[in-house]
Every structure is written in C-alpha cells, then in structure tokens.
Amino acid sequence: GQQVMQIPQYQHVQEGEDFTTYCNSSTTLSNIQWYKQRPGGHPVFLIQLVKSGEVKKQKRLTFQFGEAKKNSSLHITATQTTDVGTYFCANTGTASKLTFGTGTRLQVTL
Amino acid sequence: DAGVIQSPRHEVTEMGQEVTLRCKPISGHDYLFWYRQTMMRGLELLIYFNNNVPIDDSGMPEDRFSAKMPNASFSTLKIQPSEPRDSAVYFCASSPGLAGEFVPSYNEQFFGPGTRLTVL
C-alpha cells in the first residue's frame, strides 16, 4: 500500500527557533491532513490541504502542499514549549480512510 | 458533546485472555475507525465502519482480532486470545464523513483518548 514518509523522525530545538517537518509520498496524494499528538495524548486535527500548491497559515504554523501533490510541509515559526508533540501528516484515501505518515517528534527546550 | 469516548483507558491482561475495547463515537458521525499505535509501526488503521457497516478490515492483523458496530453509538474491538505483541495504544476515531460537492474534501477525524493495552 501507499507509504507516507516524514522527515525528520525527531527534532530538538531551543524555544524561539523555527521547525519544519516534511511529508513525502512516491505517489500522488489525494488531500493532506495534519494532526498533532501531545505526549500521552491523542491525535488532534490541525488542518486539511486540498489543492496543488496550497498554503495555509494558523498563527505561527504554515502548511504547504506541493505543486505535484507528492509532498507537504509544516513550518512552525518561533517555537514555544507548547508546540512539543508529534506531528503527523495523513493522506486521505477512499471514503474518509486516512494513511498516516511516520510522524515527526518535536522537543522544545528553554 | 463529550467527544469520542473509549473504555477502559488502561487494560493489563495475561496472554491468552480475551480483551474487549469499547468506543462511543460522536453523535451524528457516520464513520468510525479503529487504530493501533506502537513505537515500531506507528499509527495503523485496523478497520473502519460507515453507517455501522464494516467497509475495510484489511488492517486487522489476524483472525484473533474482530470488531463490531451493533448500532450508531457503540463499537467494540475484541482480541481473543491476546498475545504480548498486541500491547499498544488503541484509538477509536469518528468522522462526519465526506464533505464538499465538487472537490473531494474529507472531514477531520476526532480521536478518543485511547486504551493502553498491556498483555503480559
């Protein structure tokens, strides 16, 4: 089946530094959803990207969908300790079925 | 709405025992999903239902796993017999279903808090 890879697997940053996670697929993605999972918590929906080249912003978070719809990225500007968690991208497939990426775990220290 | 409800939150059992995990989706959601999360394999979809009907169970590891949805407000995931390699966090999620008329736009999934299963 389709595999959605994310890089890096883990990143440790100082508070105030920027952070980017990349989501890549060998096949064309349908739509991309991004989720955040806090340590010990459950995935929580952040956003959905639908169109080729789409860019969406949520405060310090910027989400982008590649022109060829084979990749996506999440960029956080000036990270805060509240950004700690694992960020997953997910490709929407048939009838609401999601294929989750491998996730990027973000650690932020003061 | 209380969100997706799962029980129990933690389950510790011995190998060979039957385990039943329960889920109550958000009222009005047409889709229900069961996921398993482990460090090694990440977040895997096991099975999902649409309007109480199983649509895709290709992620169910083997015959020891079974899932039912007898009505719109309740689903179970059963493991019989359980094995240590089944230890994981099991999430239930629900979704309103498809949205958008001209551009396929899938609704977000709402996850429950999960059940942490430990099989000794």
Side-chain angles (χ1 to χ4, degrees), chain B residues 17 22 24 33-34 36 44-45 47-48 60-61 63 68 77 79 82 92-93 95 97 100 104-105 108 110 113 115 117:
Chain B
Q17 296 297 306
R22 297 173 175 80
K24 176 178 167 50
F33 306 83
W34 282 101
R36 178 173 68 176
E44 304 174 277
L45 176 66
I47 185 172
Y48 76 98
M60 295 287 261
D63 292 346
K68 293 182 180 179
L77 178 68
I79 308 173
S82 59
C92 174
S95 169
S105 178
E108 66 184 276
F110 295 80
T115 296
L117 174 64

Side-chain angles (χ1 to χ4, degrees), chain A residues 13-81:
Chain A
V13 299
Q14 298 286 323
E15 190 177 46
E17 292 181 337
D18 291 356
F19 160 77
T20 304
T21 172
Y22 300 90
C23 177
N24 299 299
S25 172
S26 57
T27 58
T28 302
L29 300 163
S30 303
N31 304 319
I32 276 287
Q33 294 185 357
W34 284 90
Y35 289 77
K36 176 185 178 181
Q37 183 176 20
R38 287 199 161 97
H42 57 276
V44 175
F45 176 82
L46 294 176
I47 208 160
Q48 176 167 266
L49 304 173
V50 175
K51 300 177 183 176
S52 168
E54 188 171 14
V55 178
K56 288 188 176 180
K57 293 190 176 184
Q58 287 180 350
K59 298 182 180 178
R60 294 178 295 103
L61 277 60
T62 301
F63 304 84
Q64 189 163 0
F65 206 176
E67 291 290 341
K69 298 187 79 172
K70 287 188 174 181
N71 56 75
S72 181
S73 65
L74 158 59
H75 179 82
I76 302 178
T77 303
T79 55
Q80 301 175 357
T81 54

Side-chain angles (χ1 to χ4, degrees), chain A residues 30-31 33 35 37 40-45 48 50 88 92-98 100, chain B residues 31 33 35 37 43 45 48 56 58 91 97-98 103-109 111-113:
Chain A
S30 303
N31 304 319
Q33 294 185 357
Y35 289 77
Q37 183 176 20
H42 57 276
V44 175
F45 176 82
Q48 176 167 266
V50 175
F88 293 96
T92 61
T94 311
S96 289
K97 179 177 177 178
L98 293 179
F100 278 84
Chain B
Y31 287 84
F33 306 83
Y35 291 90
Q37 186 174 41
L43 197 56
L45 176 66
Y48 76 98
D56 185 345
S58 59
F91 289 105
L98 297 177
V103 176
S105 178
Y106 302 88
N107 280 307
E108 66 184 276
Q109 293 187 12
F111 282 74

Side-chain angles (χ1 to χ4, degrees), chain B residues 2-95:
Chain B
V4 176
I5 299 172
Q6 290 187 247
S7 64
R9 295 293 307 276
H10 301 273
E11 177 81 30
V12 180
T13 190
E14 293 188 344
M15 183 175 64
Q17 296 297 306
E18 177 180 296
V19 175
T20 300
L21 311 181
R22 297 173 175 80
C23 175
K24 176 178 167 50
I26 294 173
S27 177
H29 282 190
D30 294 334
Y31 287 84
L32 183 139
F33 306 83
W34 282 101
Y35 291 90
R36 178 173 68 176
Q37 186 174 41
T38 62
M39 288 295 293
M40 290 297 294
R41 300 177 66 88
L43 197 56
E44 304 174 277
L45 176 66
L46 300 177
I47 185 172
Y48 76 98
F49 297 81
N50 179 23
N51 292 324
N52 312 339
V53 176
I55 301 301
D56 185 345
D57 65 354
S58 59
M60 295 287 261
E62 47 197 275
D63 292 346
R64 297 185 298 106
F65 286 69
S66 62
K68 293 182 180 179
M69 192 165 185
N71 57 62
S73 59
F74 184 65
S75 177
T76 59
L77 178 68
K78 186 177 292 187
I79 308 173
Q80 166 65 14
S82 59
E83 297 182 1
R85 59 192 168 121
D86 302 331
S87 297
V89 179
Y90 290 81
F91 289 105
C92 174
S94 70
S95 169

